[in-house]
């Protein structure tokens, strides 16, 4: 394997990319694999793609992009055959705001040539909605926009347990961060974000594994502490 895939529940994995410690999630089902976020560069995304084919030779069937920040979406260029799900804002950014993606990526230290190559091939999502159920055969994964927060269009992905001993896994995108404080940008709304985390906790439930966009997996208690941090700002 190119990446170190951490097992979170039966058929549910995540890896932490070296660049910016970005989470990429993977859910395996009878009917195919679902990937959550795609990394930044061709190199990163191709290494993920090759790993997914070792889990399931059919490769990535569905890709969910949690929000329009470069480190979560630009690698989508590699997943040409996947159905890509995102909020409309992600498609808007890819279509009309590539200058923003480019400058944001360079600001964070990405190589200019890598970013230009991947932006030229970027994969525009075609399944645009705030809520979706994605059928993977033996399991159904729920995608939801829980409210405004890190951006105005964050998606979370709820993976129900396959077996009684498995936890629910909730991929939170950057609505939850562990490796640093929550990333508050010009597109963030801190007041709404704290409220949105109530919905995130409702979707996951008290016993879920919460997977942040950056950093180690956390529990509901950690998410509540992050909510307090946001309220204090
Ligand atoms: Zn972000």
């Amino acid at each position: 394997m190119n990446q170190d895939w951490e097992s979170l529940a039966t058929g549910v994995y995540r890896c932490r990319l070296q660049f910016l410690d970005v989470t990429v999630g993977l859910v395996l089902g009878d009917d195919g694999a679902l990937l959550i976020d795609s990394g930044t560069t061709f190199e990163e995304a191709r290494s993920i793609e090759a790993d997914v084919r070792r889990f399931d030779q059919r490769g990535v069937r569905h890709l969910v992009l949690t929000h329009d920040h470069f480190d979560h979406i630009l690698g989508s260029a590699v997943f040409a055959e996947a159905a890509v799900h995102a909020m409309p804002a992600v498609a808007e950014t890819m279509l009309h705001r590539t200058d923003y993606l480019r400058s944001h990526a360079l600001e964070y230290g990405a190589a200019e040539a890598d970013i230009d190559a991947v932006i030229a091939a970027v994969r525009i999502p075609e399944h645009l909605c705030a809520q979706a159920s994605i059928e993977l055969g033996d399991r159904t994964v729920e995608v939801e926009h829980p409210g405004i927060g890190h951006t105005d269009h964050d998606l979370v992905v709820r993976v129900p347990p396959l077996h009684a001993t498995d936890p629910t896994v909730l991929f939170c995108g950057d609505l939850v961060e562990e490796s640093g404080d929550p990333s508050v940008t010009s597109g963030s709304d801190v007041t709404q974000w704290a409220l949105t985390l109530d919905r995130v906790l409702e979707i996951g439930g008290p016993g879920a594994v919460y997977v942040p966009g950056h950093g180690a997996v956390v529990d509901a208690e950690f998410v509540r502490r992050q909510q307090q941090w946001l309220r204090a700002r």
Side-chain angles (χ1 to χ4, degrees), residues 96-120:
H96 305 301
R97 299 178 68 219
T98 52
D99 285 353
Y100 151 77
L101 287 171
R102 188 176 188 279
S103 60
H104 200 192
L106 299 188
E107 190 184 311
Y108 275 87
E112 199 167 358
D114 288 349
I115 295 305
D116 287 342
V118 86
I119 282 179

Side-chain angles (χ1 to χ4, degrees), residues 121-141:
V122 77
R123 172 83 163 75
I124 313 289
E126 71 279 20
H127 298 281
L128 304 175
C129 64
Q131 196 148 25
S133 296
I134 302 177
E135 297 290 340
L136 298 177
D138 55 345
R139 69 200 318 166
T140 303
V141 171

Side-chain angles (χ1 to χ4, degrees), residues 67 69 72 150 174:
H67 63 294
H69 289 162
H72 298 260
H150 173 65
D174 286 356

Side-chain angles (χ1 to χ4, degrees), residues 158-174:
R158 179 179 180 274
V159 188
L162 209 52
H163 302 305
T165 51
D166 284 328
T168 292
V169 178
L170 191 74
F171 289 94
C172 303
D174 286 356

Side-chain angles (χ1 to χ4, degrees), residues 1 5 13 26 28 33 48 50-58:
M1 290 283 177
W5 293 92
Y13 299 86
L26 174 64
L28 304 174
I48 294 161
D51 282 356
V52 173
R53 284 192 191 277
R54 290 191 186 113
F55 283 110
D56 181 333
Q57 61 180 6
R58 296 167 296 184

Side-chain angles (χ1 to χ4, degrees), residues 22 37-40 63-78 86 90-91 93-94 100-101 118 122-123:
V22 183
D37 287 338
S38 62
T40 302
L63 171 62
V64 176
L65 302 174
T66 58
H67 63 294
D68 75 354
H69 289 162
F70 73 94
D71 48 328
H72 298 260
I73 64 172
L74 289 179
S76 63
V78 163
V90 177
T93 298
M94 287 176 172
Y100 151 77
L101 287 171
V118 86
V122 77
R123 172 83 163 75

Side-chain angles (χ1 to χ4, degrees), residues 189-196 230:
D189 183 323
V190 174
T191 307
Q192 290 298 316
W193 193 344
L195 297 170
T196 293
L230 289 162

